Amino acid sequence: MRALDALVVGAGFSGLYMLVKLRQGGFSCAAVEAGSGVGGTWYWNRYPGARCDIPSMEYSYSFDPALEQEWEWTERYAAQPEILRYIEHVAERYDLARDIAFNTRVTAAEWNEERGRWRVDTDTGDKFDVQFLILATGALSEPRGIDLPGLENFAGPVLYTAKWDDGVDLAGKAVCHFGTGSSGIQAVATMADYVGHLTVFQRTPSYAVPANNRPLLPGEQDSAKATYQQMRAVARQSPLGFAAPPRPGKAREFAEGDRVQRLEEAWNAGTTGLLNAFEDLLFDEVSNEQAAAFARAKIAATVKDPAKARALTPHYPLGSRRLCSEIGFFETFNRPHVDLVDVRQDPVVAVEADAVITASGARHRADAITVATGFDACTGAIKAIAITGRGGQRIAEEWADGPRAYLGLAVAGFPNLFAITGPGSPSVLSNVIISIEQHVEWVARCLADMRASGKAVIEADADAEQDWMRHVDEVAQTTLFPRADSWYMGRTRDGGQVFMPYVGGVGSYRAKCDAVREAGYEGFRLS
Ligand code: FAD
Ligand code: N01
């Protein structure tokens, strides 16, 4: 059993920065990572076309100004291999690998009341005895998979975007693909260039904006670097963690010509631009519908077959499910070797050795099946660990009716446990790296403050937690997010839904966390 001040679970952007801060704070620490390398999302999601949809220069750490200046991004939106190289570079720069146990999954953690410490078990048999347990397990790291009748009969490979095996060559093959969210949209458009035949099985269509990706020009990168600190400062205080905040003005109050012109400009600016075109798109039904109709018209103008265009057109508010970034996705359906199956109209009834059969009797030939059906988002990776807190309570059971966490950081009944980008924090509704840095820095300061004041145990107060989750819900209800069935929603046992991320804004959330600390960790009990 290895004794440490703190154990970090996960070695993605969150876990690596947490290790840096713990070391800087003089805490004995280590990390445990299920994968064989660092990178988290960018280690696992090696599917064709994977890239970020936040400009590379913003989708990167801000805590090290020298790193910011040194690193050269090649594209406006970096692709997975480049982001992974960047994370590996950071791990090397800070010599982090020596404190990370790779190929090791944390399976259980139990709070010992008398000793005020966590005992942590792993699937390799390694055990840890730690004062603080920090879950940097990722909000999008527990894949959902797929349940198709007869899938076990399929003779070819089944590839999951969230655990992509890049050793399988799909060139010239007949591929049946499932899922058209952000991952599926990227994978479909890229695979269409080299597979022999592609059948896309769609359950829910997505709004998607052209990425307008391109190489970064040297001058452009230099001028951004000259003002990097100011850019980051704006992002930290902004609603969604971007340097460019929403443009002022309500869409519904603009004359049609002016409104369409502004939407067109935002469309051409790339993915994050569209929801920033007006300040009220996520709040006002009429304004949202105007922007949604604009996005729907783009699909109709691109996809030549009217039946396919109809099937690909969403009818929920724009942005209430994650807005996707695309490079040639809709054009893909004009290609003769690409078919679309709407599984709500024509569900899969059987999978055979070399085909997928749907209710209409259609037989879709398949040498390989690819799956991009998303994640058990926000809570999945935490619930997958058997975490036992005070009085034997299990986190998975406590969260069976939706997650509860004070500030998305800590859970009542589970002392000295922190979640990075946990449910109830801006997390997936922001530039996630900005949110990760804010959480990591808050936790590091908290541990240092505890050490300075001679405190050993911190625990969220149940009332403060309840008030916070009520606030998370109230804020969500002022937006259009609850109008769509999305992975932002957690499920309750009776089929109800709980909105999980905090939509009150990255800047205001940061101010709240700072105020809690300045008030002596208001809403926490320290002993
Ligand atoms: P992760 O990167 O998910 O890392 C968590 C790590 O914890 C994983 O490596 C996992 O193996 C490990 N782990 C989990 N459970 C255990 C366990 N029990 N034991 C040991 N290890 C464990 N966000 C953006 O802001 N902009 C984007 O453009 C963007 N693009 C994305 C594209 C894809 C394909 C996906 C899936 C997500 C994207 N995201 C994006 C969100 C992305 O997840 C975050 O930006 C960020 O990478 C999360 O970092 P993390 O370290 O918190 O979590
Ligand atoms: O997952 P998703 P994802 N047959 O849940 C459908 C980030 N990300 O991996 O909603 C057919 O969005 C499912 O339908 P439904 C980003 O935050 C970013 O694509 O269950 N389809 C849904 O449409 C993103 O939001 C980037 O009705 C089935 C789709 O599969 C998050 O990760 C890139 C099905 C899954 O979409 C998750 O994205 C990639 C079935 N049996 C990821 N079961 C960037 O570009 C489910 N579906 C930044």
Side-chain angles (χ1 to χ4, degrees):
M1 178 104 61
R2 190 167 166 208
L4 294 167
D5 292 331
L7 183 71
V8 180
V9 189
F13 273 109
S14 301
L16 295 184
Y17 186 36
M18 196 70 244
L19 262 189
V20 169
K21 293 303 288 180
L22 287 167
R23 276 196 198 159
Q24 285 173 354
F27 295 97
S28 62
C29 56
V32 172
E33 167 55 56
S36 63
V38 299
T41 286
W42 304 101
Y43 166 89
W44 295 107
N45 290 262
R46 296 164 189 247
Y47 61 85
R51 65 174 70 242
C52 63
D53 67 353
I54 291 178
S56 323
M57 301 221 38
E58 293 192 58
Y59 188 69
S60 50
Y61 287 121
S62 73
F63 71 86
D64 179 344
L67 170 70
E68 270 179 348
Q69 293 299 323
E70 282 165 29
W71 186 263
E72 295 285 316
W73 292 104
T74 64
E75 291 181 275
R76 191 164 172 226
Y77 299 103
Q80 173 272 331
E82 186 171 15
I83 302 175
L84 184 58
R85 273 199 305 280
Y86 169 79
I87 304 178
E88 288 170 346
H89 170 76
V90 174
E92 267 171 42
R93 186 183 177 90
Y94 285 89
D95 188 20
L96 297 176
R98 68 181 157 90
D99 280 331
I100 305 172
F102 293 107
N103 301 307
T104 306
R105 184 172 286 280
V106 168
T107 51
E110 189 170 355
W111 175 250
N112 184 312
E113 201 89 50
E114 286 92 66
R115 300 180 62 239
R117 293 177 71 85
W118 286 96
R119 174 206 151 107
V120 181
D121 292 332
T122 67
D123 62 356
T124 57
D126 290 344
K127 296 183 195 315
F128 296 85
D129 166 38
V130 299
Q131 187 181 358
F132 297 102
L133 181 59
I134 301 167
L135 303 175
T137 43
L140 295 166
S141 60
E142 192 70 16
R144 263 203 308 212
I146 194 159
D147 187 14
L148 295 174
L151 185 58
E152 65 283 3
N153 302 324
F154 188 62
V158 181
L159 299 175
Y160 296 85
T161 50
K163 216 178 171 183
W164 194 261
D165 178 353
D166 41 17
V168 179
D169 183 8
L170 296 178
K173 300 277 188 325
V175 174
C176 283
H177 173 87
F178 291 82
T180 49
S182 300
S183 304
I185 278 180
Q186 292 178 327
V188 161
T190 310
M191 287 192 299
D193 281 343
Y194 55 82
V195 301
H197 193 274
L198 183 60
T199 311
V200 179
F201 294 79
Q202 172 189 267
R203 187 155 80 187
T204 306
S206 294
Y207 290 104
V209 181
N212 278 337
N213 187 42
R214 54 172 170 76
L216 271 177
L217 309 170
E220 183 181 28
Q221 187 150 196
D222 291 348
S223 62
K225 283 184 177 178
T227 55
Y228 230 150
Q229 293 304 306
Q230 293 95 305
M231 199 168 101
R232 303 294 205 173
V234 172
R236 287 188 196 108
Q237 300 305 329
S238 70
L240 294 172
F242 303 136
R247 289 179 73 179
K250 299 179 178 15
R252 64 189 298 172
E253 292 172 0
F254 278 57
E256 194 186 345
D258 296 340
R259 184 174 55 243
V260 170
Q261 190 190 333
R262 205 198 256 201
L263 286 168
E264 199 70 56
E265 283 164 20
W267 184 263
N268 293 331
T271 315
T272 44
L274 189 61
L275 289 171
N276 272 351
F278 296 92
E279 67 190 28
D280 64 340
L281 292 186
L282 290 170
F283 302 94
D284 186 281
E285 215 169 333
V286 174
S287 292
N288 185 287
E289 175 50 28
Q290 288 167 337
F294 173 88
R296 289 197 288 261
K298 293 284 187 188
I299 300 172
T302 307
V303 181
K304 292 190 180 125
D305 175 344
K308 282 184 182 171
R310 262 195 312 280
L312 288 163
T313 301
H315 289 283
Y316 46 82
L318 181 82
S320 58
R321 288 164 60 97
R322 177 69 146 76
L323 187 60
C324 301
S325 177
E326 61 96 16
I327 301 179
F329 172 72
F330 292 111
E331 286 87 346
T332 299
F333 293 93
N334 296 333
R335 301 176 77 165
H337 69 302
V338 179
D339 290 329
L340 178 67
V341 177
D342 179 345
V343 294
R344 288 195 200 275
Q345 304 295 328
D346 192 13
V348 173
V349 290
V351 178
E352 297 178 353
D354 61 352
V356 174
I357 318 295
T358 54
S360 64
R363 192 169 192 282
H364 304 276
R365 200 166 60 76
D367 302 317
I369 290 177
T370 56
V371 181
T373 47
F375 299 87
D376 184 355
C378 301
T379 58
I382 297 177
K383 290 199 288 192
I385 306 173
I387 302 177
T388 311
R390 270 193 212 287
Q393 56 185 312
R394 283 287 182 93
I395 223 165
E397 285 160 23
E398 292 297 310
W399 284 4
D401 281 324
R404 54 175 181 81
Y406 181 41
L407 302 172
L409 270 168
V411 186
F414 297 83
N416 287 7
L417 176 132
F418 296 100
I420 306 301
T421 69
S425 73
S427 161
V428 288
L429 275 179
S430 65
N431 171 354
V432 181
I433 305 200
I434 288 283
S435 293
I436 286 171
E437 289 189 326
Q438 184 261 337
H439 261 188
V440 166
E441 287 161 14
W442 192 94
V443 171
R445 267 196 301 264
C446 172
L447 266 52
D449 289 344
M450 287 177 69
R451 188 176 48 193
S453 59
K455 303 290 187 195
V457 177
I458 182 166
E459 182 180 351
D461 178 76
D463 290 337
E465 180 181 77
Q466 202 178 20
D467 288 349
W468 178 253
M469 292 316 283
R470 201 177 295 127
H471 175 61
V472 169
D473 183 58
E474 277 166 7
V475 178
Q477 297 308 327
T478 67
T479 71
L480 298 172
F481 283 107
R483 300 289 182 85
D485 186 9
S486 74
W487 60 256
Y488 297 138
M489 300 285 187
R491 302 274 164 192
T492 62
R493 274 173 291 207
D494 60 5
Q497 294 190 321
V498 179
F499 194 78
M500 297 189 285
Y502 180 58
V503 284
V506 164
S508 48
Y509 174 79
R510 175 184 295 273
K512 169 70 182 174
C513 292
D514 290 347
V516 162
R517 172 177 181 254
E518 280 151 24
Y521 293 97
E522 189 178 31
F524 287 95
R525 279 186 276 125
L526 287 121
S527 54

